[in-house]
Amino acid sequence: MAIVNFTEARIRDLPLGSGIYRDEQVKGLLVVCHRTTKTFAAQGDVRRNGRHVRTVRVKIDRCDRMNLREARRRAKELMSQIQSGEDPTAGPDETGITLSQVMDRYFDGRDLSDRTEEGYRYHLDKYLKNFKNRAVADITRSDVRDLYDSLRRRSGDTTAAGVMRTLRAMVNEARRIDETIEGNPVSSIRVPQPRRREVGEIDLKDWWTKSAALLPIRRDVHRMFMFSGLRRESLLTIKRDDVDVRRKVVNVRHMKSRKPFMLPLSDFMADVLAKRMESDSRIGSEWLWPSPNSESGRVMEPREDGLPSPHVYRHHWRTQSIAAGVPYAESALLLDQRLPGASGGYVHQSHLADHLRAYQQKVTDHLLSEMGA
């Protein structure tokens, strides 16, 4: 390594690809002549407690972008760090943050539903319990592959994929906190997308007969699922005070979107709810679907043998709305689904209850006609 008294002219004359030159005036300042460029750098020995730790070289900038005076000033700063025992090339220290700590941080500042948080924590406590108190930086690709293979054998592909999606989200969150985590080990496997559940057709005339044979409150629960397309918790958590039969609207508070939802009622739906509330008034319950024998005081499990689940009802309502001639936008809004595109965020369903009621009526009329009711 040649020692040269650097000047601007001498640096320009150094041949490309000729190697490394050290400055005579400033200790540690180098010019590195690569095949296509020349760069300033600083090099020195990091020592701690009199012991040599490592030799480090730090690139400063290209010679055609920085003058010699600035390069010497920057080299002095870097050499001061190096001589004090600090390594300028060292990355940030590991935080040692664990998977359990990451999950606590993950939910801070995120407006997620209680059910979503419960699902993530269930995965952590049941399937990731051997990882939860480990530093995320220590979880390897091999660990992830072994866990995934084990889960597929013991719990099936669907559960295994769900747990991997949870783990992937937590590691990504940890990488925002700890810069030493360079990659996500879940990338070592291919996590399949959730399969779209197949939903069969419903014989509407048979359904009407079977639902009519239920106890009155169970019958009306299933009729409201069929004619509203509401999700399970959305319908079952409605309170009497949420229903305005005169205006033919229901204020549905428990929505997946966590936004206000005003469900417009068709004539048939309003009639079902009016009679239900009148019949149940003597019970004195706050719930629209009271169940004195339930710990919560309301109906919790809506399933009946031979009748669809709430999820199937929702799919069926969407299909029947198309058959009834309801436009895409109105059909989506009646299910509390966001409209696509930037303009979709400007549409507020709760302001359109009166407009949407006519389309709700179209779906109801179509269903009743198909049922022969």
Side-chain angles (χ1 to χ4, degrees), residues 26-38:
V26 174
K27 181 180 178 181
L29 176 61
L30 310 177
V31 170
V32 183
C33 296
H34 305 284
R35 286 189 300 174
T36 57
T37 61
K38 303 173 190 176

Side-chain angles (χ1 to χ4, degrees), residues 36 58 70 80 111 143 162 203 227 248 304 311 321-322 365:
T36 57
V58 185
E70 178 63 20
S80 176
D111 187 23
D143 292 333
D203 184 330
F227 285 88
K248 294 198 293 187
E304 299 283 352
H311 181 76
S321 72
I322 296 173
D365 291 344

Side-chain angles (χ1 to χ4, degrees), residues 345-356:
Y346 290 88
V347 179
H348 302 282
Q349 187 275 348
S350 59
H351 300 170
L352 297 171
D354 292 335
H355 167 75
L356 294 172

